[in-house]
Amino acid sequence: TINRRALSSSELKQKLIDKNFTQEVAQQTTDKMINMSYIDDEAYARAVMRQISLSKPAGPRLIRQKLNAKKLDHALINRLIEEYEQNTKENSDEVDEKLLKLAQTRLNRMSNLDKNTKKRRLYSLLARRGFYPEQIASVLNKTIDIE
């Protein structure tokens, strides 16, 4: 068995090479799987993006990092990130609401900390979740500064 989870074309090719198939056989097999629609990198990337954002809000930097880890084509990643950012701009109120909710939930756990520690920890959380500094500053201004 190769794997029980979905794979990108690059991951499949690497798995086959790791199983001692030649480069040529691995490429032919991957191409055949693509032609038979068993592998669709774009659909796979979109599924990964949905999964990342399912539990907590995720920014474009985190999504890019996760897609790169799946060895997806950089042009595909760039296109999907642009699309994601455009969608985020169009639904900015919804995104802001999710970010504020995440921040407020975290802040509730930090009630015994001073303001600077809260800011630092919240900034770190949102940065790890892949948000841009401007987005993080906006959330910090709306949450910590009104406490």
Side-chain angles (χ1 to χ4, degrees):
T1 180
I2 296 288
N3 212 342
R4 293 177 189 247
R5 69 169 180 86
L7 298 170
S8 69
S9 57
S10 296
E11 287 175 315
L12 174 63
K13 182 178 174 186
Q14 188 58 52
K15 286 268 184 195
L16 291 170
I17 291 169
D18 292 346
K19 299 255 182 207
N20 296 322
F21 288 92
T22 65
Q23 236 2 31
E24 184 181 327
V25 169
Q27 185 64 54
Q28 288 173 351
T29 304
T30 302
D31 291 344
K32 189 169 187 174
M33 298 289 272
I34 291 169
N35 290 335
M36 295 174 70
S37 299
Y38 289 132
I39 293 182
D40 181 347
D41 280 348
E42 183 170 343
Y44 176 64
R46 289 181 187 283
V48 169
M49 290 171 70
R50 269 191 308 280
Q51 188 63 39
I52 294 167
S53 300
L54 206 54
S55 61
K56 294 179 194 166
R61 290 177 29 226
L62 176 64
I63 292 171
R64 181 181 298 280
Q65 176 188 356
K66 297 287 186 178
L67 293 177
N68 277 325
K70 302 293 184 186
K71 299 180 180 175
L72 291 160
D73 179 63
H74 291 290
L76 173 63
I77 293 172
N78 290 336
R79 185 169 52 81
L80 291 175
I81 293 297
E82 283 178 30
E83 187 179 298
Y84 176 83
E85 288 178 329
Q86 182 62 37
N87 188 36
T88 301
K89 286 178 188 171
E90 291 170 5
N91 300 308
S92 63
D93 291 342
E94 182 182 325
V95 173
D96 289 347
E97 186 178 316
K98 287 180 180 180
L99 272 174
L100 287 171
K101 185 177 178 182
L102 174 63
Q104 200 56 55
T105 301
R106 253 339 135 93
L107 280 174
N108 292 340
R109 298 181 197 167
M110 296 187 226
S111 58
N112 59 335
L113 300 174
D114 65 274
K115 188 176 180 177
N116 287 334
T117 303
K118 288 178 185 180
K119 273 187 169 183
R120 188 179 67 248
R121 288 187 182 180
L122 195 55
Y123 190 98
S124 294
L125 166 72
L126 297 175
R128 283 191 310 274
R129 293 299 305 161
F131 293 98
Y132 293 123
E134 316 80 61
Q135 293 171 296
I136 298 171
S138 174
V139 170
L140 292 177
N141 289 335
K142 291 175 184 173
T143 54
I144 292 180
D145 290 341
I146 58 173
E147 281 191 328

